[in-house]
Amino acid sequence: MAPSVLTGRRRVRPRVSLPAAAPGLRLSFGMLGFPFSEPAFATVVGPGHPLAAGGADAPPAHGVLHVITREDWAWVCSTEGVGSSSAGYQVVEAAVEPYESGGQWQGQGAAGGGGGRTLQAVTLQVG
């Protein structure tokens, strides 16, 4: 989610960026990284997954929904190891709910809803 990584290191310029939540996903730092520099990488998991940050009662994953070109998405996937046989992420579809204009998420826990609009998006998940 760090702009310095997306727009700086990867040179991807989103057309739109919105705060959003994914009611059907939970945040996890269960992908091992590099000791002393980045010991774990973020991913998303399903509700109740043992690696969900916060355990069984973990709140929905919150983050940033970026609208980018197909070419930029292909570039992001290549930099994250998508398609690697030994490591990396896989592409998964997710229902996301952008925050309302007042900066609040209108969802209701894992079920979502509560008046917010739902969009289909893709994200990366540890395989």
Side-chain angles (χ1 to χ4, degrees):
M1 289 191 325
S4 61
V5 174
L6 186 63
T7 61
R9 188 182 327 158
R10 292 202 174 95
R11 299 176 312 279
V12 171
R13 304 270 181 229
R15 294 179 184 171
V16 176
S17 297
L18 303 168
L25 297 172
R26 304 297 180 265
L27 178 64
S28 172
F29 292 97
M31 183 178 182
L32 296 178
F34 306 110
F36 307 111
S37 64
E38 196 168 0
F41 298 119
T43 188
V44 289
V45 295
H49 191 284
L51 294 177
D57 295 326
H62 290 252
V64 181
L65 175 64
H66 295 293
V67 178
I68 60 176
T69 66
R70 289 185 188 276
E71 292 80 12
D72 283 344
W73 176 243
W75 173 246
V76 169
C77 289
S78 72
T79 65
E80 293 292 345
V82 172
S84 168
S85 61
S86 60
Y89 294 97
Q90 62 184 358
V91 177
V92 295
E93 291 186 8
V96 297
E97 297 176 358
Y99 287 23
E100 295 300 315
S101 60
Q104 297 294 317
W105 180 59
Q106 299 299 314
Q108 300 296 320
R117 67 179 190 245
T118 301
L119 304 172
Q120 286 301 117
V122 289
T123 190
L124 300 177
Q125 181 180 58
V126 173

PDB file of all heavy atoms in Angstrom, residues 15-54:
ATOM      1  N   ARG A  15      -5.005   5.169 -11.980  1.00  0.00           N
ATOM      2  CA  ARG A  15      -5.964   6.170 -12.471  1.00  0.00           C
ATOM      3  C   ARG A  15      -6.793   6.702 -11.310  1.00  0.00           C
ATOM      4  O   ARG A  15      -7.153   7.866 -11.269  1.00  0.00           O
ATOM      5  CB  ARG A  15      -6.884   5.549 -13.510  1.00  0.00           C
ATOM      6  CG  ARG A  15      -6.180   5.142 -14.775  1.00  0.00           C
ATOM      7  CD  ARG A  15      -7.143   4.508 -15.739  1.00  0.00           C
ATOM      8  NE  ARG A  15      -6.418   4.048 -16.912  1.00  0.00           N
ATOM      9  CZ  ARG A  15      -6.945   3.307 -17.843  1.00  0.00           C
ATOM     10  NH1 ARG A  15      -8.199   2.929 -17.757  1.00  0.00           N
ATOM     11  NH2 ARG A  15      -6.233   2.930 -18.867  1.00  0.00           N
ATOM     12  N   VAL A  16      -7.134   5.789 -10.381  1.00  0.00           N
ATOM     13  CA  VAL A  16      -7.919   6.118  -9.193  1.00  0.00           C
ATOM     14  C   VAL A  16      -7.407   5.238  -8.061  1.00  0.00           C
ATOM     15  O   VAL A  16      -7.059   4.080  -8.289  1.00  0.00           O
ATOM     16  CB  VAL A  16      -9.429   5.834  -9.422  1.00  0.00           C
ATOM     17  CG1 VAL A  16     -10.243   6.079  -8.166  1.00  0.00           C
ATOM     18  CG2 VAL A  16      -9.969   6.637 -10.581  1.00  0.00           C
ATOM     19  N   SER A  17      -7.382   5.774  -6.847  1.00  0.00           N
ATOM     20  CA  SER A  17      -7.047   5.002  -5.648  1.00  0.00           C
ATOM     21  C   SER A  17      -8.067   5.336  -4.571  1.00  0.00           C
ATOM     22  O   SER A  17      -8.293   6.513  -4.275  1.00  0.00           O
ATOM     23  CB  SER A  17      -5.641   5.339  -5.150  1.00  0.00           C
ATOM     24  OG  SER A  17      -4.670   4.974  -6.109  1.00  0.00           O
ATOM     25  N   LEU A  18      -8.695   4.299  -4.015  1.00  0.00           N
ATOM     26  CA  LEU A  18      -9.749   4.487  -3.016  1.00  0.00           C
ATOM     27  C   LEU A  18      -9.520   3.567  -1.827  1.00  0.00           C
ATOM     28  O   LEU A  18      -9.183   2.403  -2.013  1.00  0.00           O
ATOM     29  CB  LEU A  18     -11.119   4.120  -3.613  1.00  0.00           C
ATOM     30  CG  LEU A  18     -11.584   4.825  -4.862  1.00  0.00           C
ATOM     31  CD1 LEU A  18     -12.800   4.108  -5.436  1.00  0.00           C
ATOM     32  CD2 LEU A  18     -11.928   6.265  -4.516  1.00  0.00           C
ATOM     33  N   PRO A  19      -9.749   4.045  -0.606  1.00  0.00           N
ATOM     34  CA  PRO A  19      -9.718   3.120   0.531  1.00  0.00           C
ATOM     35  C   PRO A  19     -10.909   2.177   0.423  1.00  0.00           C
ATOM     36  O   PRO A  19     -12.006   2.584   0.032  1.00  0.00           O
ATOM     37  CB  PRO A  19      -9.836   4.042   1.746  1.00  0.00           C
ATOM     38  CG  PRO A  19     -10.482   5.290   1.241  1.00  0.00           C
ATOM     39  CD  PRO A  19     -10.075   5.416  -0.201  1.00  0.00           C
ATOM     40  N   ALA A  20     -10.675   0.904   0.736  1.00  0.00           N
ATOM     41  CA  ALA A  20     -11.736  -0.094   0.600  1.00  0.00           C
ATOM     42  C   ALA A  20     -11.504  -1.240   1.570  1.00  0.00           C
ATOM     43  O   ALA A  20     -10.422  -1.392   2.131  1.00  0.00           O
ATOM     44  CB  ALA A  20     -11.771  -0.625  -0.838  1.00  0.00           C
ATOM     45  N   ALA A  21     -12.542  -2.044   1.751  1.00  0.00           N
ATOM     46  CA  ALA A  21     -12.460  -3.248   2.585  1.00  0.00           C
ATOM     47  C   ALA A  21     -12.917  -4.436   1.751  1.00  0.00           C
ATOM     48  O   ALA A  21     -13.728  -4.292   0.838  1.00  0.00           O
ATOM     49  CB  ALA A  21     -13.347  -3.102   3.816  1.00  0.00           C
ATOM     50  N   ALA A  22     -12.371  -5.605   2.088  1.00  0.00           N
ATOM     51  CA  ALA A  22     -12.762  -6.857   1.443  1.00  0.00           C
ATOM     52  C   ALA A  22     -13.389  -7.739   2.513  1.00  0.00           C
ATOM     53  O   ALA A  22     -12.678  -8.424   3.248  1.00  0.00           O
ATOM     54  CB  ALA A  22     -11.558  -7.530   0.805  1.00  0.00           C
ATOM     55  N   PRO A  23     -14.716  -7.697   2.661  1.00  0.00           N
ATOM     56  CA  PRO A  23     -15.388  -8.410   3.748  1.00  0.00           C
ATOM     57  C   PRO A  23     -15.106  -9.908   3.797  1.00  0.00           C
ATOM     58  O   PRO A  23     -15.125 -10.507   4.864  1.00  0.00           O
ATOM     59  CB  PRO A  23     -16.871  -8.156   3.504  1.00  0.00           C
ATOM     60  CG  PRO A  23     -16.915  -6.921   2.685  1.00  0.00           C
ATOM     61  CD  PRO A  23     -15.669  -6.938   1.848  1.00  0.00           C
ATOM     62  N   GLY A  24     -14.824 -10.536   2.657  1.00  0.00           N
ATOM     63  CA  GLY A  24     -14.572 -11.971   2.625  1.00  0.00           C
ATOM     64  C   GLY A  24     -13.128 -12.367   2.819  1.00  0.00           C
ATOM     65  O   GLY A  24     -12.788 -13.539   2.693  1.00  0.00           O
ATOM     66  N   LEU A  25     -12.262 -11.398   3.119  1.00  0.00           N
ATOM     67  CA  LEU A  25     -10.839 -11.686   3.282  1.00  0.00           C
ATOM     68  C   LEU A  25     -10.318 -11.118   4.594  1.00  0.00           C
ATOM     69  O   LEU A  25     -10.873 -10.148   5.125  1.00  0.00           O
ATOM     70  CB  LEU A  25     -10.039 -11.100   2.117  1.00  0.00           C
ATOM     71  CG  LEU A  25     -10.366 -11.662   0.738  1.00  0.00           C
ATOM     72  CD1 LEU A  25      -9.647 -10.864  -0.337  1.00  0.00           C
ATOM     73  CD2 LEU A  25      -9.998 -13.136   0.659  1.00  0.00           C
ATOM     74  N   ARG A  26      -9.252 -11.707   5.090  1.00  0.00           N
ATOM     75  CA  ARG A  26      -8.589 -11.249   6.312  1.00  0.00           C
ATOM     76  C   ARG A  26      -7.119 -11.025   6.005  1.00  0.00           C
ATOM     77  O   ARG A  26      -6.522 -11.743   5.198  1.00  0.00           O
ATOM     78  CB  ARG A  26      -8.716 -12.278   7.439  1.00  0.00           C
ATOM     79  CG  ARG A  26     -10.150 -12.677   7.771  1.00  0.00           C
ATOM     80  CD  ARG A  26     -10.936 -11.469   8.292  1.00  0.00           C
ATOM     81  NE  ARG A  26     -12.310 -11.803   8.619  1.00  0.00           N
ATOM     82  CZ  ARG A  26     -13.342 -11.642   7.793  1.00  0.00           C
ATOM     83  NH1 ARG A  26     -13.161 -11.185   6.575  1.00  0.00           N
ATOM     84  NH2 ARG A  26     -14.555 -11.934   8.192  1.00  0.00           N
ATOM     85  N   LEU A  27      -6.500 -10.062   6.679  1.00  0.00           N
ATOM     86  CA  LEU A  27      -5.084  -9.765   6.510  1.00  0.00           C
ATOM     87  C   LEU A  27      -4.242 -10.825   7.206  1.00  0.00           C
ATOM     88  O   LEU A  27      -4.583 -11.291   8.293  1.00  0.00           O
ATOM     89  CB  LEU A  27      -4.769  -8.388   7.108  1.00  0.00           C
ATOM     90  CG  LEU A  27      -3.315  -7.937   7.048  1.00  0.00           C
ATOM     91  CD1 LEU A  27      -2.864  -7.771   5.602  1.00  0.00           C
ATOM     92  CD2 LEU A  27      -3.155  -6.634   7.811  1.00  0.00           C
ATOM     93  N   SER A  28      -3.143 -11.196   6.594  1.00  0.00           N
ATOM     94  CA  SER A  28      -2.208 -12.147   7.185  1.00  0.00           C
ATOM     95  C   SER A  28      -0.783 -11.729   6.835  1.00  0.00           C
ATOM     96  O   SER A  28      -0.539 -11.185   5.755  1.00  0.00           O
ATOM     97  CB  SER A  28      -2.462 -13.554   6.647  1.00  0.00           C
ATOM     98  OG  SER A  28      -1.448 -14.442   7.072  1.00  0.00           O
ATOM     99  N   PHE A  29       0.123 -11.977   7.757  1.00  0.00           N
ATOM    100  CA  PHE A  29       1.546 -11.799   7.484  1.00  0.00           C
ATOM    101  C   PHE A  29       2.214 -13.169   7.549  1.00  0.00           C
ATOM    102  O   PHE A  29       3.298 -13.335   8.071  1.00  0.00           O
ATOM    103  CB  PHE A  29       2.171 -10.813   8.473  1.00  0.00           C
ATOM    104  CG  PHE A  29       1.672  -9.418   8.274  1.00  0.00           C
ATOM    105  CD1 PHE A  29       0.633  -8.923   9.046  1.00  0.00           C
ATOM    106  CD2 PHE A  29       2.201  -8.609   7.292  1.00  0.00           C
ATOM    107  CE1 PHE A  29       0.141  -7.638   8.852  1.00  0.00           C
ATOM    108  CE2 PHE A  29       1.714  -7.326   7.080  1.00  0.00           C
ATOM    109  CZ  PHE A  29       0.689  -6.847   7.867  1.00  0.00           C
ATOM    110  N   GLY A  30       1.544 -14.178   6.992  1.00  0.00           N
ATOM    111  CA  GLY A  30       1.993 -15.559   7.070  1.00  0.00           C
ATOM    112  C   GLY A  30       2.964 -15.989   5.991  1.00  0.00           C
ATOM    113  O   GLY A  30       3.360 -17.140   5.947  1.00  0.00           O
ATOM    114  N   MET A  31       3.351 -15.093   5.091  1.00  0.00           N
ATOM    115  CA  MET A  31       4.330 -15.442   4.057  1.00  0.00           C
ATOM    116  C   MET A  31       5.701 -14.985   4.536  1.00  0.00           C
ATOM    117  O   MET A  31       5.926 -13.791   4.756  1.00  0.00           O
ATOM    118  CB  MET A  31       3.971 -14.762   2.743  1.00  0.00           C
ATOM    119  CG  MET A  31       4.885 -15.123   1.603  1.00  0.00           C
ATOM    120  SD  MET A  31       4.333 -14.313   0.086  1.00  0.00           S
ATOM    121  CE  MET A  31       5.526 -14.940  -1.068  1.00  0.00           C
ATOM    122  N   LEU A  32       6.597 -15.951   4.718  1.00  0.00           N
ATOM    123  CA  LEU A  32       7.933 -15.617   5.207  1.00  0.00           C
ATOM    124  C   LEU A  32       8.672 -14.735   4.222  1.00  0.00           C
ATOM    125  O   LEU A  32       8.629 -14.947   3.009  1.00  0.00           O
ATOM    126  CB  LEU A  32       8.727 -16.891   5.476  1.00  0.00           C
ATOM    127  CG  LEU A  32       8.164 -17.784   6.581  1.00  0.00           C
ATOM    128  CD1 LEU A  32       9.018 -19.037   6.713  1.00  0.00           C
ATOM    129  CD2 LEU A  32       8.090 -17.038   7.894  1.00  0.00           C
ATOM    130  N   GLY A  33       9.382 -13.760   4.772  1.00  0.00           N
ATOM    131  CA  GLY A  33      10.139 -12.820   3.954  1.00  0.00           C
ATOM    132  C   GLY A  33      11.629 -12.979   4.155  1.00  0.00           C
ATOM    133  O   GLY A  33      12.143 -14.097   4.224  1.00  0.00           O
ATOM    134  N   PHE A  34      12.321 -11.856   4.304  1.00  0.00           N
ATOM    135  CA  PHE A  34      13.770 -11.836   4.446  1.00  0.00           C
ATOM    136  C   PHE A  34      14.132 -11.363   5.845  1.00  0.00           C
ATOM    137  O   PHE A  34      13.801 -10.231   6.214  1.00  0.00           O
ATOM    138  CB  PHE A  34      14.395 -10.896   3.405  1.00  0.00           C
ATOM    139  CG  PHE A  34      13.982 -11.215   1.992  1.00  0.00           C
ATOM    140  CD1 PHE A  34      13.151 -10.366   1.288  1.00  0.00           C
ATOM    141  CD2 PHE A  34      14.412 -12.379   1.381  1.00  0.00           C
ATOM    142  CE1 PHE A  34      12.761 -10.657  -0.014  1.00  0.00           C
ATOM    143  CE2 PHE A  34      14.028 -12.686   0.085  1.00  0.00           C
ATOM    144  CZ  PHE A  34      13.209 -11.822  -0.615  1.00  0.00           C
ATOM    145  N   PRO A  35      14.800 -12.206   6.643  1.00  0.00           N
ATOM    146  CA  PRO A  35      15.164 -11.797   8.004  1.00  0.00           C
ATOM    147  C   PRO A  35      15.926 -10.471   7.997  1.00  0.00           C
ATOM    148  O   PRO A  35      16.722 -10.211   7.106  1.00  0.00           O
ATOM    149  CB  PRO A  35      16.058 -12.936   8.490  1.00  0.00           C
ATOM    150  CG  PRO A  35      15.679 -14.103   7.647  1.00  0.00           C
ATOM    151  CD  PRO A  35      15.280 -13.530   6.309  1.00  0.00           C
ATOM    152  N   PHE A  36      15.648  -9.649   8.976  1.00  0.00           N
ATOM    153  CA  PHE A  36      16.316  -8.371   9.232  1.00  0.00           C
ATOM    154  C   PHE A  36      15.921  -7.243   8.284  1.00  0.00           C
ATOM    155  O   PHE A  36      16.204  -6.095   8.545  1.00  0.00           O
ATOM    156  CB  PHE A  36      17.842  -8.514   9.277  1.00  0.00           C
ATOM    157  CG  PHE A  36      18.307  -9.572  10.223  1.00  0.00           C
ATOM    158  CD1 PHE A  36      18.886 -10.739   9.753  1.00  0.00           C
ATOM    159  CD2 PHE A  36      18.141  -9.424  11.581  1.00  0.00           C
ATOM    160  CE1 PHE A  36      19.303 -11.729  10.627  1.00  0.00           C
ATOM    161  CE2 PHE A  36      18.548 -10.399  12.469  1.00  0.00           C
ATOM    162  CZ  PHE A  36      19.130 -11.552  11.996  1.00  0.00           C
ATOM    163  N   SER A  37      15.293  -7.535   7.148  1.00  0.00           N
ATOM    164  CA  SER A  37      14.861  -6.440   6.280  1.00  0.00           C
ATOM    165  C   SER A  37      13.342  -6.406   6.140  1.00  0.00           C
ATOM    166  O   SER A  37      12.739  -5.362   6.283  1.00  0.00           O
ATOM    167  CB  SER A  37      15.525  -6.536   4.904  1.00  0.00           C
ATOM    168  OG  SER A  37      15.125  -7.707   4.235  1.00  0.00           O
ATOM    169  N   GLU A  38      12.734  -7.525   5.826  1.00  0.00           N
ATOM    170  CA  GLU A  38      11.276  -7.631   5.714  1.00  0.00           C
ATOM    171  C   GLU A  38      10.909  -9.067   6.099  1.00  0.00           C
ATOM    172  O   GLU A  38      10.783  -9.939   5.243  1.00  0.00           O
ATOM    173  CB  GLU A  38      10.820  -7.301   4.289  1.00  0.00           C
ATOM    174  CG  GLU A  38       9.353  -7.027   4.188  1.00  0.00           C
ATOM    175  CD  GLU A  38       8.941  -6.423   2.844  1.00  0.00           C
ATOM    176  OE1 GLU A  38       9.793  -6.216   1.966  1.00  0.00           O
ATOM    177  OE2 GLU A  38       7.740  -6.167   2.676  1.00  0.00           O
ATOM    178  N   PRO A  39      10.752  -9.317   7.409  1.00  0.00           N
ATOM    179  CA  PRO A  39      10.594 -10.696   7.890  1.00  0.00           C
ATOM    180  C   PRO A  39       9.319 -11.409   7.441  1.00  0.00           C
ATOM    181  O   PRO A  39       9.258 -12.631   7.481  1.00  0.00           O
ATOM    182  CB  PRO A  39      10.639 -10.573   9.406  1.00  0.00           C
ATOM    183  CG  PRO A  39      10.412  -9.142   9.703  1.00  0.00           C
ATOM    184  CD  PRO A  39      10.798  -8.352   8.493  1.00  0.00           C
ATOM    185  N   ALA A  40       8.316 -10.677   7.018  1.00  0.00           N
ATOM    186  CA  ALA A  40       7.084 -11.296   6.536  1.00  0.00           C
ATOM    187  C   ALA A  40       6.444 -10.399   5.491  1.00  0.00           C
ATOM    188  O   ALA A  40       6.600  -9.180   5.525  1.00  0.00           O
ATOM    189  CB  ALA A  40       6.107 -11.524   7.686  1.00  0.00           C
ATOM    190  N   PHE A  41       5.736 -11.041   4.564  1.00  0.00           N
ATOM    191  CA  PHE A  41       5.007 -10.309   3.541  1.00  0.00           C
ATOM    192  C   PHE A  41       3.517 -10.430   3.812  1.00  0.00           C
ATOM    193  O   PHE A  41       3.047 -11.440   4.331  1.00  0.00           O
ATOM    194  CB  PHE A  41       5.309 -10.871   2.147  1.00  0.00           C
ATOM    195  CG  PHE A  41       6.749 -10.758   1.753  1.00  0.00           C
ATOM    196  CD1 PHE A  41       7.490 -11.894   1.484  1.00  0.00           C
ATOM    197  CD2 PHE A  41       7.369  -9.527   1.657  1.00  0.00           C
ATOM    198  CE1 PHE A  41       8.814 -11.801   1.109  1.00  0.00           C
ATOM    199  CE2 PHE A  41       8.699  -9.416   1.288  1.00  0.00           C
ATOM    200  CZ  PHE A  41       9.428 -10.571   1.008  1.00  0.00           C
ATOM    201  N   ALA A  42       2.775  -9.422   3.423  1.00  0.00           N
ATOM    202  CA  ALA A  42       1.329  -9.422   3.614  1.00  0.00           C
ATOM    203  C   ALA A  42       0.651 -10.267   2.544  1.00  0.00           C
ATOM    204  O   ALA A  42       1.116 -10.362   1.411  1.00  0.00           O
ATOM    205  CB  ALA A  42       0.785  -8.003   3.572  1.00  0.00           C
ATOM    206  N   THR A  43      -0.448 -10.862   2.934  1.00  0.00           N
ATOM    207  CA  THR A  43      -1.329 -11.580   2.022  1.00  0.00           C
ATOM    208  C   THR A  43      -2.730 -11.514   2.606  1.00  0.00           C
ATOM    209  O   THR A  43      -2.928 -10.913   3.670  1.00  0.00           O
ATOM    210  CB  THR A  43      -0.873 -13.045   1.803  1.00  0.00           C
ATOM    211  OG1 THR A  43      -1.674 -13.635   0.766  1.00  0.00           O
ATOM    212  CG2 THR A  43      -0.966 -13.864   3.068  1.00  0.00           C
ATOM    213  N   VAL A  44      -3.680 -12.066   1.919  1.00  0.00           N
ATOM    214  CA  VAL A  44      -5.039 -12.156   2.437  1.00  0.00           C
ATOM    215  C   VAL A  44      -5.427 -13.621   2.496  1.00  0.00           C
ATOM    216  O   VAL A  44      -4.956 -14.436   1.702  1.00  0.00           O
ATOM    217  CB  VAL A  44      -6.049 -11.346   1.594  1.00  0.00           C
ATOM    218  CG1 VAL A  44      -5.845  -9.856   1.778  1.00  0.00           C
ATOM    219  CG2 VAL A  44      -5.969 -11.722   0.121  1.00  0.00           C
ATOM    220  N   VAL A  45      -6.269 -13.953   3.477  1.00  0.00           N
ATOM    221  CA  VAL A  45      -6.755 -15.321   3.669  1.00  0.00           C
ATOM    222  C   VAL A  45      -8.246 -15.267   3.946  1.00  0.00           C
ATOM    223  O   VAL A  45      -8.795 -14.204   4.237  1.00  0.00           O
ATOM    224  CB  VAL A  45      -6.003 -16.028   4.830  1.00  0.00           C
ATOM    225  CG1 VAL A  45      -4.528 -16.202   4.498  1.00  0.00           C
ATOM    226  CG2 VAL A  45      -6.174 -15.261   6.138  1.00  0.00           C
ATOM    227  N   GLY A  46      -8.882 -16.403   3.903  1.00  0.00           N
ATOM    228  CA  GLY A  46     -10.312 -16.466   4.182  1.00  0.00           C
ATOM    229  C   GLY A  46     -10.614 -16.322   5.667  1.00  0.00           C
ATOM    230  O   GLY A  46      -9.734 -16.510   6.513  1.00  0.00           O
ATOM    231  N   PRO A  47     -11.866 -15.998   6.006  1.00  0.00           N
ATOM    232  CA  PRO A  47     -12.269 -15.896   7.409  1.00  0.00           C
ATOM    233  C   PRO A  47     -12.006 -17.222   8.132  1.00  0.00           C
ATOM    234  O   PRO A  47     -12.213 -18.294   7.577  1.00  0.00           O
ATOM    235  CB  PRO A  47     -13.769 -15.613   7.346  1.00  0.00           C
ATOM    236  CG  PRO A  47     -14.013 -15.101   5.977  1.00  0.00           C
ATOM    237  CD  PRO A  47     -12.980 -15.752   5.097  1.00  0.00           C
ATOM    238  N   GLY A  48     -11.522 -17.125   9.349  1.00  0.00           N
ATOM    239  CA  GLY A  48     -11.261 -18.311  10.140  1.00  0.00           C
ATOM    240  C   GLY A  48      -9.941 -18.995   9.831  1.00  0.00           C
ATOM    241  O   GLY A  48      -9.597 -19.988  10.462  1.00  0.00           O
ATOM    242  N   HIS A  49      -9.198 -18.510   8.857  1.00  0.00           N
ATOM    243  CA  HIS A  49      -7.899 -19.103   8.524  1.00  0.00           C
ATOM    244  C   HIS A  49      -6.961 -18.929   9.716  1.00  0.00           C
ATOM    245  O   HIS A  49      -6.938 -17.870  10.343  1.00  0.00           O
ATOM    246  CB  HIS A  49      -7.317 -18.419   7.288  1.00  0.00           C
ATOM    247  CG  HIS A  49      -6.136 -19.106   6.708  1.00  0.00           C
ATOM    248  ND1 HIS A  49      -4.893 -19.045   7.269  1.00  0.00           N
ATOM    249  CD2 HIS A  49      -6.027 -19.896   5.615  1.00  0.00           C
ATOM    250  CE1 HIS A  49      -4.051 -19.752   6.540  1.00  0.00           C
ATOM    251  NE2 HIS A  49      -4.716 -20.280   5.527  1.00  0.00           N
ATOM    252  N   PRO A  50      -6.179 -19.941  10.061  1.00  0.00           N
ATOM    253  CA  PRO A  50      -5.313 -19.850  11.244  1.00  0.00           C
ATOM    254  C   PRO A  50      -4.250 -18.750  11.163  1.00  0.00           C
ATOM    255  O   PRO A  50      -3.746 -18.323  12.200  1.00  0.00           O
ATOM    256  CB  PRO A  50      -4.670 -21.235  11.336  1.00  0.00           C
ATOM    257  CG  PRO A  50      -4.946 -21.914  10.053  1.00  0.00           C
ATOM    258  CD  PRO A  50      -6.126 -21.248   9.422  1.00  0.00           C
ATOM    259  N   LEU A  51      -3.929 -18.282   9.966  1.00  0.00           N
ATOM    260  CA  LEU A  51      -2.915 -17.233   9.845  1.00  0.00           C
ATOM    261  C   LEU A  51      -3.501 -15.826   9.761  1.00  0.00           C
ATOM    262  O   LEU A  51      -2.779 -14.858   9.556  1.00  0.00           O
ATOM    263  CB  LEU A  51      -2.030 -17.491   8.626  1.00  0.00           C
ATOM    264  CG  LEU A  51      -1.161 -18.747   8.697  1.00  0.00           C
ATOM    265  CD1 LEU A  51      -0.386 -18.924   7.402  1.00  0.00           C
ATOM    266  CD2 LEU A  51      -0.217 -18.684   9.889  1.00  0.00           C
ATOM    267  N   ALA A  52      -4.810 -15.687   9.948  1.00  0.00           N
ATOM    268  CA  ALA A  52      -5.435 -14.359   9.916  1.00  0.00           C
ATOM    269  C   ALA A  52      -4.949 -13.547  11.108  1.00  0.00           C
ATOM    270  O   ALA A  52      -4.984 -14.019  12.236  1.00  0.00           O
ATOM    271  CB  ALA A  52      -6.950 -14.476   9.936  1.00  0.00           C
ATOM    272  N   ALA A  53      -4.488 -12.342  10.833  1.00  0.00           N
ATOM    273  CA  ALA A  53      -4.049 -11.456  11.919  1.00  0.00           C
ATOM    274  C   ALA A  53      -5.253 -11.141  12.797  1.00  0.00           C
ATOM    275  O   ALA A  53      -6.251 -10.627  12.318  1.00  0.00           O
ATOM    276  CB  ALA A  53      -3.438 -10.169  11.344  1.00  0.00           C
ATOM    277  N   GLY A  54      -5.201 -11.483  14.063  1.00  0.00           N
ATOM    278  CA  GLY A  54      -6.326 -11.263  14.965  1.00  0.00           C
ATOM    279  C   GLY A  54      -7.118 -12.522  15.240  1.00  0.00           C
ATOM    280  O   GLY A  54      -8.076 -12.494  15.992  1.00  0.00           O
TER     281      GLY A  54
END
